[in-house]
Amino acid sequence: MNSSCSGKLHGFRQIAQEKLQHVFYSIPSEKDLIIEPALIKPLEHVCGASWLRKKGIDKIYKFDPKNPPPKRKQLVYFINSNLLTFKSVLDQISGYQSQTSSLMEVDIRNKQYHVLVMPSVLASFEHLLEEEGLHGIVELYNFQWDFLQLDDSILSLELPDVFADVFVRKDTTPLSSMAQSIRIFNLVMGNPHIVFSLGENAEKIVQMVLRMESNKHSSMASSVVGKENNKTEENAGKDPEYAAMLVLDRDRDYPACLLTPVVYCGLLLEIQTLNSGSLLVDSDSNKIKIGKLAFLQQQDLTQGSSKQEATSLQMSGTQDMIYFGTDIATSPRSSVCLVRRPKPSVWRGRHIRGK
C-alpha cells in the first residue's frame, strides 16, 4: 500500500476526532465521561485518555447500571443505541436528581447530563425521555466514528449488535448510519468506478449512498464536520484509490468472517496432512475422499482410473496471502496451535482440533 493511500486511511481517525471534539466543545466546563464497556476498545482506535483530558474530560468511568459513579461535575454518557441501556442511564440520572433539592429550579440552559449515542439517537429515546420526566434535563447527541483502521488496509465500522438487529430482528435502522459512513469513505478515498451489491440490505445501502451524494449540499450532508467535509470534497473528484466496491449481506457470505490465518490453517489440517508447515495434498487419501459414500466412490472410478501422485507444498506467507503473517507450530498430539505475530517475542495460544 502506497503512502498516499495509507495517509487517507489515517484520515478516518481525524474525522472521528473532529466529530467527538465538536460534541465536547459544545458542553462547557469540565465533565466526567461514563462509557459503556463494549465501546472502550473501539474508542481507543479513535483517541486516547490524554486526548480526552485535553478536551475537558476529567474522570473516565465504566458504565455500571448498579454502581453509578459519584456526581461531581457534568456527566457525559457514551452508550450504544440500545433502549434498555438508555433506560438504565435514565434511571441513574433520576437517582442523581432525587439527591438534589426539589426546591432547586432546573436551569435548562446549563444541562448537567449529556448522552452520546452510538451510532444515532432513536425516536424511542425521545419518547422514553419524556416518559421519565427528564426532557429538558438530559441532552442527546449522535456520534458515529465511521471506519476504524484495525490493521493495515483493514477497516471496520465496529457497530455492536448490527447482525442481530438487521438479520435476526429485521430492524433496518442501522442501515442509514452505514450508508453515511460509506459516503464518507467515498469522499476520502474517491468514488469507485464500479459498485456491486449482493442482498436486499446491501442494495438499500447503495441506494441511500446515491441519494446522499446527489444531495450532498443539502441538510443530509450537514452531519459531517464542516472543515473535514471541505477537505474531502476536493478528493471526491480525483481518481479513486479503489476501482470497485462490493457491498454484500452477511447472510450471503457466512464463511468470510471465519477466514483468519488460524482458521484457514485449521481447515487445511482437517482435510489434508500438515506436518511442520509442509502440506501434503493427496486427492485419493484426503479426509473428504475417505468420508465419501460407497456409491459416490464407484462413480469416481467409472470416470477415470488414473491415480495422481501426492504433492507436498511448503506453506509460505510470501506465496499465500491468506497464510501471510503467521507461523504455525503444531504437534500431532496437541490441540493447541501457537500463532506468532510479526513480533517474534509475542506468542498467542489458539485452540484448534489436532490431528
Side-chain angles (χ1 to χ4, degrees):
M1 183 174 58
N2 55 41
S3 58
S4 174
C5 181
S6 178
K8 290 182 179 180
L9 292 179
H10 287 293
F12 290 108
R13 180 179 183 180
Q14 298 177 2
I15 294 176
Q17 288 179 351
E18 287 288 339
K19 291 182 179 181
L20 195 58
Q21 176 180 275
H22 178 73
V23 174
F24 288 154
Y25 282 173
S26 64
I27 304 174
S29 68
E30 289 189 342
K31 42 210 164 276
D32 292 339
L33 178 64
I34 305 175
I35 180 172
E36 188 176 350
L39 299 177
I40 294 178
K41 284 297 182 181
L43 186 62
E44 291 178 355
H45 291 277
V46 176
C47 61
S50 59
W51 186 92
L52 291 173
R53 289 189 171 90
K54 291 179 181 178
K55 308 306 175 183
I57 299 297
D58 186 17
K59 300 290 185 180
I60 302 176
Y61 301 95
K62 286 184 180 180
F63 175 66
D64 187 352
K66 298 181 180 179
N67 297 311
K71 175 68 170 65
R72 302 165 51 252
K73 303 176 181 179
Q74 295 184 96
L75 295 181
V76 179
Y77 288 86
F78 185 26
I79 62 172
N80 287 312
S81 57
N82 183 283
L83 189 60
L84 295 179
T85 304
F86 183 64
K87 178 63 168 61
S88 300
V89 170
L90 296 185
D91 290 342
Q92 283 193 3
I93 295 176
S94 298
Y96 291 132
Q97 287 294 104
S98 63
Q99 296 174 4
T100 60
S101 175
S102 59
L103 299 177
M104 184 180 299
E105 184 178 356
V106 178
D107 187 3
I108 61 175
R109 295 172 299 178
N110 297 320
K111 298 179 180 179
Q112 296 295 309
Y113 307 99
H114 308 266
V115 181
L116 195 60
V117 183
M118 166 74 190
S120 61
V121 176
L122 304 178
S124 56
F125 284 21
E126 298 284 354
H127 297 308
L128 184 59
L129 201 61
E130 294 182 0
E131 292 177 359
E132 296 292 329
L134 296 175
H135 191 273
I137 300 176
V138 179
E139 185 73 21
L140 301 180
Y141 303 87
N142 296 306
F143 176 72
Q144 164 69 319
W145 46 46
D146 300 315
F147 287 95
L148 301 180
Q149 187 174 7
L150 303 183
D151 203 344
D152 189 22
S153 297
I154 298 180
L155 303 176
S156 175
L157 289 175
E158 291 299 306
L159 293 176
D161 301 328
V162 66
F163 179 82
D165 291 338
V166 177
F167 295 100
V168 179
R169 304 186 186 97
K170 304 300 180 181
D171 181 10
T172 58
T173 304
L175 298 184
S176 59
S177 61
M178 296 180 193
Q180 180 64 34
S181 298
I182 292 179
R183 176 183 173 269
I184 294 180
F185 179 88
N186 292 339
L187 290 173
V188 175
M189 308 302 295
N191 289 317
H193 299 303
I194 303 175
V195 178
F196 299 96
S197 64
L198 179 60
E200 180 181 357
N201 296 309
E203 179 62 24
K204 290 179 181 178
I205 291 177
V206 172
Q207 294 300 324
M208 289 180 186
V209 174
L210 293 177
R211 287 195 297 268
M212 290 179 184
E213 291 179 346
S214 62
N215 301 308
K216 57 186 176 182
H217 297 296
S218 65
S219 59
M220 295 182 67
S222 62
S223 60
V224 181
V225 179
K227 183 171 66 175
E228 293 295 335
N229 195 13
N230 293 334
K231 292 180 180 179
T232 53
E233 289 285 354
E234 299 176 358
N235 297 329
K238 299 181 180 179
D239 292 335
E241 296 290 341
Y242 301 93
M245 175 183 291
L246 173 62
V247 183
L248 70 158
D249 287 3
R250 171 52 63 205
D251 60 356
R252 299 296 183 94
D253 185 25
Y254 286 119
C257 58
L258 301 176
L259 288 181
T260 62
V262 175
V263 176
Y264 174 67
C265 295
L267 293 175
L268 289 177
L269 187 63
E270 287 294 321
I271 301 173
Q272 306 289 355
T273 302
L274 182 66
N275 186 10
S276 300
S278 180
L279 183 69
L280 183 64
V281 181
D282 191 348
S283 60
D284 294 323
S285 63
N286 61 72
K287 295 182 180 180
I288 293 180
K289 182 74 174 182
I290 296 174
K292 280 187 176 181
L293 298 177
F295 70 91
L296 293 177
Q297 294 180 355
Q298 291 176 359
Q299 289 181 358
D300 293 340
L301 292 175
T302 58
Q303 293 177 359
S305 59
S306 60
K307 183 177 180 180
Q308 297 180 354
E309 295 183 358
T311 304
S312 179
L313 299 178
Q314 187 68 30
M315 302 300 293
S316 173
T318 59
Q319 300 177 1
D320 190 341
M321 295 306 297
I322 301 179
Y323 188 78
F324 175 74
T326 60
D327 295 328
I328 305 299
T330 59
S331 172
R333 299 181 180 179
S334 174
S335 62
V336 177
C337 174
L338 296 179
V339 182
R340 185 174 63 187
R341 295 300 178 185
K343 293 183 179 180
S345 60
V346 180
W347 288 80
R348 298 177 182 176
R350 301 291 178 89
H351 293 275
I352 64 172
R353 183 179 298 175
K355 292 184 179 179

